[in-house]
Amino acid sequence: MRSFDCLYFRKGDFANALVSSGISPLEIRSVEVYTSDLSEDEALECVHDIAQYVPDAPITGMSCDGFFYNCEPFTKGTLIHVIASKSCTALSSVFENISGRQIHALATDLAANGFGQGSSYVCCMTAGFTRNCELVEELNEHCPDITIFGGVALRHGRQGDAYFSESFVFDRSGAYHDAIILTAFCGEKLQAQTACAVGFDLIGETYTITKSEGTVIAEVNGTESRQWFARMMEIDSEGMSGERLARVMSRFPAVIQDVCGGQTLGLPVTIGPDGRPCVPGVMLKDNLKFRVGYFSPERSEQDLCGLADALEVQPAESLFAMCCVWRRDVFSDDNDSHKTALLGFRSNHLSGPYVGGEFSHISTGNVFQTGSLAVLELAESERYIASIDRRCFHRKPISDPDIIRICNTILKKESDSAFRNQQKLLRQIIEQENMLSETLFVERNTEHWNIEKFLYDNERQKFNKLCLISVERSIQISHYIGRENYIAFLRKTLSEVTDFLSQERLDASLRLYVSDLNSFFIVANDSMTQEDFMNAMRMMFVKFNKISIKDNIVCFCSFYLVLNDTDLLENARLVMNDPKNSLKRFVIFEKGEEENTKFEDSMSALAAVSWAIEHDGVEPFFQPIYDNVAGCTHKFESLMRIRDQNGRLWFPNQFLPVSKEFRLYSPISCAMINKVFDLFENRKESVSINLSAIDISAPEVVRMIFDRIEKLKHPENFIFEILESEGFSDQNILTGFIQKVREHHVKLAIDDFGSGYSNLLEIIKMRPDIIKIDGEIIKNLLNDPMNRQLMDVIIYMSNVFNVDLVAEYAESEELQTFLMSKGIRYSQGYYFSKPIPYDQIDAYLESEKKMKISLEAAGKVRKTEEEARAKYLGTGTGGKASEGASGAGAQGAGNAGAGKDGADGVVIPDINVSAAEFLRSMRLAAGKAPEGGAAPRAAAGGTAGSSAEGKAPAAGEAPAAGK
């Protein structure tokens, strides 16, 4: 599925946009037109212009009061939204003269004739209809699982009821003033989700509209509505202009509760032409219960963040929005915070019209709302939107004195009521009284100075020393003892800290601030020396590093000091979150080049990963795995590299950490796995692919893997290496994956065996074909008796479980000779070769073959074939223990019954040269070769740490990093 939005000011604009999009007109399923300045005839001309290029798809539209295009608001113009798909279908229907119809009959008609068979999403446009909320409730009874998304048309430049009554919707056939246009989308793969943000809190008691006249509120609680609103809000209607009065009242909607499946509906209250309060566009009923709402900046920010969270977790190939014009006007007064909030979606190019009400779908069903920002996501594949910038949602406090006064008035009246269960909410909102005073600087839970106060003070006092004190595992503690108890404990602790500073006579030089419920910090400026500050914090650490909560529950605090810096709090948080400090509880940070270099390296790696994803920059390398019995190489391990735009080769330890941090790991992992399948699906050699817990836990990666496996001619030539030391949050995922792999005859290997803590259990559960011994065990074999004993245990276990062993980190002739003496079947490491590009594999194998022939021709014979085989079978692990063999005899029986075939069906050749002699001769003949060279050996004297490719393990790369 694809979509695009474009602006339309004159004929030809749509044609140009269509060409630029690269979408075929035959793939277009729907075109939606939203205009704020076209007349009905002009709108139909626009439709006819579009129809020249889109002859078959539905073209529908409606009038609106402006729109935003790519997050930029427009008051005049026309916005076109196009949806294209190769698999789904769309059908539009028009229902005219609907205002006089009975709601149940109308809903039945819409469901039967407008929603279509098998539809999963319906776009709804209405004009001149005032009972949308009732209609949605009825539609939920007929088709609760179909997502409805759309809006109510408005007429730009009109006032009062004409704002709605003169609006229109239109399609190819004409324009309509009292109608609903539905466009139903149907497709097996089509997914439709919506999310919305409102932004108002409820204040005041519950009141009743005792008399209504259409859209006019005639009486409230038996009192004439003008008098009631004037008394309730203490509004001086004669002292304000009409426009000013409307702006102020729009901040306080009448909120109807328990509509549309238990939801709340905020109705904008304004002043009608006759001076009475009214709700344009909504037909009211007598005895309707409502409460006064308040559009608060804080609640709006919370709702927008919730909207962003919902959008980012759902698949989305098309994104479109409906924003209530009322919401736009309210928040445009707050330092144009509406426009700023839209910028949070700029990386997703969000567009949409300003409408009189919004249809959307939430967990309880479809709803109709006013005052919201509703966003629709459509997808036919597992693609996700770019990250939303939540910093743009932050709103400054309200400073309008009339709004603050009205809010305070309503709160004071409510504080006199008998509704005790609302007292907490009232206390929170009554803080509006002192919004421009110190209240703004107090953290409400702890009643201590907050970050805003710190920033304010820092401008004047220039703090240059800070100690961030973090309550370790605060979230778990809060969950265990309860939030209220945790806040009480934190307040008590802060009080004790304040008393301690006073007792030590430090309160004049130090200031305490609360950053959140997990941490607080203490700062100082030049009035205190660095030495005195550090001594004071050491005393604090002694006093407060361990704090008793109650009974046997204690918590620990960690201290992070930042000295001689300007970005104190930011750097303290960086130090706190740095993994290298995870085991420290008193850390001192002084800014230096090292931190800057580390950040720059991280950003460079992120740029390289992003470029590699977009430009096919993932590049597999392959390291040979030498068969000590067959005397040749017939297996390779695949290892991931990426190339950036400058051609630089990056290694896993340089880019995998940042790819995981920024959630880019799965794309490069999929690219790597796909390329290895492509390169080896027609080769006779085997290849191993490293799979991490992230891979196996990601549904899209697992689906891709099995899609490829099912098409392989020889799946037995592929091996999945699963990292033994990497944990799985759900072991059932790993068990299910292994079971399915077995069904497809792909082999399994445990990587880094010996590095984890549950080795024996892992072998029993996984039943691997191969065990790769951890490099830390191998590389110290010659010098560490304990490692040799551990090796003997692993050899014994491999015989018991009938699996082959691979020794990584084979770096030297002495170590390789030792491994062969132990009967290890396979060796891998720089002694044989560094990882090489795919195009050098054949040269490597040919070089290995020629070297063997050369040695045999020279007459360097040390053992007969039978002796070579006897040595392997007599010393242990390469072969499989035969039935009836036990103890040392089981090792001696290694490949008994296997004939001349070794593991994996590889025929052991008739060689009379020992592997050690063969490899020694190859080293002398090949000379030194850099990584990427095809010589089947490591550079003389080369080690993993000194290789040209960067600091990497001798076995190629640390599989713990992924590929």
Side-chain angles (χ1 to χ4, degrees):
M1 171 168 285
R2 298 174 62 188
S3 68
F4 72 88
D5 304 309
C6 68
L7 298 176
Y8 184 94
F9 294 104
R10 62 188 63 85
K11 288 185 177 181
D13 286 351
F14 176 77
N16 294 333
L18 180 60
V19 172
S20 299
S21 72
I23 295 176
S24 167
L26 298 178
E27 296 179 12
I28 294 179
R29 295 294 175 262
S30 171
V31 180
E32 299 167 17
V33 183
Y34 302 92
T35 182
S36 63
D37 59 355
L38 297 182
S39 66
E40 296 172 33
D41 291 339
E42 290 170 334
L44 293 177
E45 288 180 12
C46 173
V47 170
H48 294 326
D49 183 32
I50 296 171
Q52 298 178 61
Y53 310 98
V54 187
D56 300 322
I59 304 176
T60 60
M62 69 180 187
S63 58
C64 61
D65 192 10
F67 53 86
F68 49 97
Y69 169 68
N70 286 347
C71 301
E72 181 68 26
F74 287 78
T75 55
K76 292 186 177 181
T78 299
L79 172 68
I80 298 177
H81 177 59
V82 178
I83 299 175
S85 170
K86 294 182 180 180
S87 58
C88 81
T89 60
L91 179 68
S92 66
S93 307
V94 181
F95 300 84
E96 298 183 69
N97 303 317
I98 57 177
S99 293
R101 297 185 63 180
Q102 198 269 340
I103 288 294
H104 177 75
L106 176 60
T108 303
D109 187 12
L110 295 178
N113 301 308
F115 278 29
Q117 186 68 29
S119 299
S120 55
Y121 155 60
V122 172
C123 174
C124 178
M125 302 177 180
T126 72
F129 186 63
T130 58
R131 294 180 291 164
N132 292 292
C133 192
E134 298 173 62
L135 178 61
V136 169
E137 287 190 279
E138 283 289 337
L139 287 174
N140 280 336
E141 296 294 325
H142 290 83
C143 41
D145 297 328
I146 296 180
T147 297
I148 302 176
F149 180 79
V152 175
L154 296 173
R155 193 71 168 111
H156 180 71
R158 303 299 191 269
Q159 300 293 328
D161 287 337
Y163 201 25
F164 292 86
S165 61
E166 295 186 21
S167 65
F168 60 92
V169 293
F170 55 92
D171 63 1
R172 291 174 183 262
S173 301
Y176 318 94
H177 288 278
D178 180 18
I180 293 177
I181 294 182
L182 301 179
T183 304
F185 290 78
C186 179
E188 291 184 1
K189 298 181 180 179
L190 182 62
Q191 301 179 63
Q193 294 89 22
T194 66
C196 60
V198 181
F200 58 74
D201 287 314
L202 296 176
I203 58 177
E205 303 176 42
T206 299
Y207 308 104
T208 303
I209 299 176
T210 49
K211 184 179 180 181
S212 62
E213 298 174 6
T215 63
V216 174
I217 302 174
E219 290 182 1
V220 178
N221 285 2
T223 302
E224 198 274 332
S225 59
R226 283 173 292 192
Q227 297 178 17
W228 186 89
F229 275 95
R231 186 176 69 244
M232 171 57 60
M233 299 184 177
E234 296 184 3
I235 295 176
D236 180 10
S237 58
E238 296 182 358
M240 291 186 188
S241 67
E243 182 179 355
R244 172 65 176 161
L245 182 60
R247 289 281 188 183
V248 170
M249 291 192 64
S250 67
R251 176 73 66 168
F252 301 93
V255 181
I256 312 300
Q257 296 179 281
D258 296 326
V259 296
C260 291
Q263 299 303 305
T264 57
L265 173 64
L267 302 177
V269 178
T270 188
I271 303 300
D274 61 355
R276 291 188 296 175
C278 65
V279 183
V282 178
M283 185 66 66
L284 299 174
K285 296 179 179 179
D286 292 348
N287 300 315
L288 197 63
K289 303 290 184 180
F290 75 97
R291 291 180 63 187
V292 176
Y294 168 60
F295 267 108
S296 71
E298 296 82 3
R299 180 58 183 270
S300 176
E301 180 177 352
Q302 292 174 12
D303 284 4
L304 284 168
C305 289
L307 173 101
D309 293 342
L311 294 177
E312 288 179 342
V313 300
Q314 298 291 348
E317 294 175 291
S318 172
L319 206 65
F320 197 68
M322 296 279 170
C323 182
C324 185
V325 67
W326 173 34
R327 178 187 183 86
R328 177 198 66 186
D329 295 342
V330 166
F331 288 117
S332 292
D333 287 346
D334 300 340
N335 304 303
D336 208 8
S337 59
H338 168 70
K339 182 176 180 180
T340 303
L342 286 178
L343 294 178
F345 301 92
R346 58 185 176 272
S347 60
N348 295 289
H349 310 291
L350 186 66
S351 301
Y354 292 115
V355 296
E358 309 79 55
F359 301 95
S360 60
H361 188 93
I362 60 175
S363 59
T364 57
N366 293 296
V367 295
F368 174 76
Q369 299 184 98
T370 58
S372 73
L373 171 65
V375 182
L376 168 72
E377 292 180 306
L378 295 179
E380 292 181 314
S381 64
E382 295 294 323
R383 295 182 181 177
Y384 295 82
I385 65 171
S387 296
I388 297 171
D389 189 353
R390 291 163 176 77
R391 294 173 298 179
C392 297
F393 301 156
H394 180 68
R395 301 184 184 277
K396 295 181 179 179
I398 300 300
S399 56
D400 189 313
D402 287 325
I403 293 176
I404 294 175
R405 178 180 52 77
I406 293 172
C407 188
N408 292 335
T409 298
I410 297 174
L411 292 175
K412 287 179 180 178
K413 291 180 182 297
E414 185 179 12
S415 66
D416 297 332
S417 72
F419 293 88
R420 296 181 180 272
N421 59 334
Q422 299 178 12
Q423 293 305 302
K424 182 178 179 180
L425 178 61
L426 292 174
R427 287 194 298 270
Q428 293 175 356
I429 301 179
I430 207 167
E431 290 177 359
Q432 297 286 339
E433 292 181 349
N434 301 314
M435 185 160 305
L436 300 179
S437 64
E438 287 187 358
T439 307
L440 180 65
F441 298 134
V442 175
E443 200 284 318
R444 60 186 179 86
N445 290 295
T446 60
E447 297 183 359
H448 278 72
W449 285 344
N450 58 17
I451 292 179
E452 284 73 20
K453 175 63 172 172
F454 162 70
L455 296 174
Y456 179 84
D457 291 343
N458 191 39
E459 288 292 324
R460 292 153 180 77
Q461 302 198 31
K462 308 299 181 185
F463 300 123
N464 57 4
K465 294 175 280 290
L466 179 145
C467 178
L468 178 65
I469 303 170
S470 171
V471 181
E472 300 298 327
R473 304 190 71 183
S474 56
I475 296 177
Q476 292 90 332
I477 293 173
S478 176
H479 178 75
Y480 182 75
I481 66 175
R483 177 180 171 83
E484 295 300 324
N485 290 332
Y486 175 76
I487 291 175
F489 152 73
L490 190 59
R491 294 178 66 170
K492 177 175 178 291
T493 299
L494 291 170
S495 177
E496 292 175 353
V497 169
T498 302
D499 292 344
F500 176 80
L501 296 178
S502 177
Q503 293 169 8
E504 298 295 330
R505 298 183 179 180
L506 297 170
D507 52 327
S509 303
L510 298 175
R511 293 208 171 199
L512 172 67
Y513 302 90
V514 174
S515 54
D516 50 41
L517 294 182
N518 309 314
S519 59
F520 54 95
F521 56 96
I522 297 172
V523 296
N525 56 18
D526 286 331
S527 64
M528 174 178 273
T529 67
Q530 181 173 304
E531 182 179 358
D532 289 343
F533 181 78
M534 293 176 64
N535 288 335
M537 294 306 102
R538 289 190 179 100
M539 289 191 295
M540 283 278 299
F541 182 77
V542 172
K543 176 73 174 176
F544 295 103
N545 80 91
K546 180 180 178 182
I547 307 172
S548 175
I549 300 177
K550 64 176 183 178
D551 301 331
N552 61 340
I553 304 175
V554 298
C555 79
F556 294 88
C557 295
S558 297
F559 287 58
Y560 303 94
L561 278 68
V562 178
L563 308 172
N564 300 324
D565 203 349
T566 53
D567 300 324
L568 294 171
L569 190 55
E570 292 82 355
N571 282 323
R573 288 169 172 167
L574 286 174
V575 174
M576 179 176 66
N577 294 319
D578 193 335
K580 72 180 182 183
N581 297 324
S582 60
L583 300 179
K584 303 175 183 178
R585 296 189 45 225
F586 194 93
V587 182
I588 300 175
F589 169 81
E590 292 191 70
K591 187 175 182 180
E593 291 299 322
E594 179 181 352
E595 291 298 321
N596 291 335
T597 301
K598 182 178 178 182
F599 178 78
E600 291 171 1
D601 289 346
S602 176
M603 292 300 98
S604 297
L606 179 60
V609 171
S610 299
W611 193 91
I613 292 172
E614 296 175 4
H615 298 87
D616 193 28
V618 176
E619 186 174 335
F621 271 55
F622 300 89
Q623 187 169 35
I625 301 175
Y626 185 77
D627 188 332
N628 291 324
V629 175
C632 63
T633 298
H634 54 83
K635 295 182 188 297
F636 290 86
E637 178 181 4
S638 59
L639 301 162
M640 187 194 295
R641 306 285 190 271
I642 64 172
R643 286 195 187 274
D644 61 19
Q645 60 269 40
N646 299 317
R648 174 187 169 185
L649 195 66
W650 291 71
F651 299 90
N653 59 323
Q654 297 171 316
F655 66 82
L656 280 183
V658 74
S659 72
K660 293 177 180 178
E661 179 182 354
F662 287 90
R663 294 184 289 183
L664 297 175
Y665 173 78
S666 289
I668 60 174
S669 178
C670 286
M672 172 68 180
I673 296 170
N674 267 315
K675 287 191 174 184
V676 175
F677 277 128
D678 290 340
L679 294 173
F680 270 79
E681 62 181 344
N682 295 316
R683 294 190 70 97
K684 63 180 180 180
E685 296 87 10
S686 297
V687 66
S688 64
I689 301 173
N690 290 293
L691 295 181
S692 68
I694 299 176
D695 293 317
I696 298 174
S697 300
E700 67 275 13
V701 177
V702 173
R703 280 196 299 271
M704 180 273 295
I705 288 174
F706 286 109
D707 285 345
R708 293 301 305 264
I709 289 176
E710 289 172 356
K711 300 174 184 176
L712 292 175
K713 296 179 181 177
H714 298 286
E716 67 277 5
N717 286 346
F718 289 85
I719 305 164
F720 288 148
E721 292 188 22
I722 299 175
L723 188 63
E724 191 273 337
S725 60
E726 192 164 308
F728 284 80
S729 58
D730 186 351
Q731 285 293 330
N732 291 328
I733 294 177
L734 176 60
T735 302
F737 177 80
I738 291 173
Q739 181 179 355
K740 195 169 181 181
V741 166
R742 291 291 186 194
E743 293 172 359
H744 289 82
H745 307 293
V746 176
K747 295 182 180 179
L748 288 171
I750 294 181
D751 200 5
D752 284 354
F753 183 75
S755 61
Y757 56 85
S758 56
N759 300 301
L760 185 58
L761 182 59
E762 295 298 326
I763 294 178
I764 294 173
K765 289 194 297 184
M766 287 182 58
R767 296 182 292 112
D769 303 282
I770 297 170
I771 289 176
K772 300 190 76 172
I773 307 171
D774 183 51
E776 292 298 318
I777 297 173
I778 299 296
K779 68 182 182 180
N780 294 315
L781 275 178
L782 300 180
N783 303 318
D784 192 333
M786 185 66 71
N787 278 26
R788 292 196 293 274
Q789 292 178 10
L790 182 56
M791 169 69 83
D792 290 338
V793 172
I794 294 174
I795 290 172
Y796 174 76
M797 291 172 62
S798 72
N799 285 325
V800 171
F801 292 108
N802 204 29
V803 297
D804 285 326
L805 293 180
V806 177
E808 300 180 310
Y809 271 81
E811 296 179 340
S812 66
E813 179 178 331
E814 293 77 13
L815 181 56
Q816 170 62 10
T817 302
F818 181 82
L819 294 172
M820 292 180 63
S821 72
K822 287 292 185 179
I824 302 297
R825 177 63 189 268
Y826 298 101
S827 296
Q828 177 183 352
Y830 282 16
Y831 180 68
F832 300 94
S833 173
K834 297 178 182 180
I836 58 177
Y838 176 79
D839 58 11
Q840 296 181 15
I841 287 180
D842 290 334
Y844 174 88
L845 295 173
E846 183 63 24
S847 176
E848 182 182 76
K849 180 179 179 181
K850 289 180 179 179
M851 186 62 65
K852 182 179 296 185
I853 294 173
S854 175
L855 290 172
E856 291 176 349
K860 295 185 177 182
V861 178
R862 296 201 38 197
K863 291 185 182 296
T864 63
E865 175 189 349
E866 289 76 12
E867 290 171 335
R869 186 190 298 277
K871 180 176 180 180
Y872 168 69
L873 297 178
T875 53
T877 70
K880 320 295 184 188
S882 62
E883 293 183 8
S886 62
Q891 297 185 24
N895 259 337
K900 294 188 66 176
D901 290 346
D904 306 324
V906 177
V907 177
I908 301 174
D910 294 335
I911 56 171
N912 294 321
V913 181
S914 72
E917 178 69 22
F918 168 60
L919 292 168
R920 186 184 299 111
S921 300
M922 290 175 69
R923 287 172 62 84
L924 294 173
K928 295 183 178 180
E931 177 178 353
R937 42 160 295 295
T943 64
S946 63
S947 69
E949 66 184 76
K951 196 166 186 178
E957 300 302 329
K963 299 291 160 291

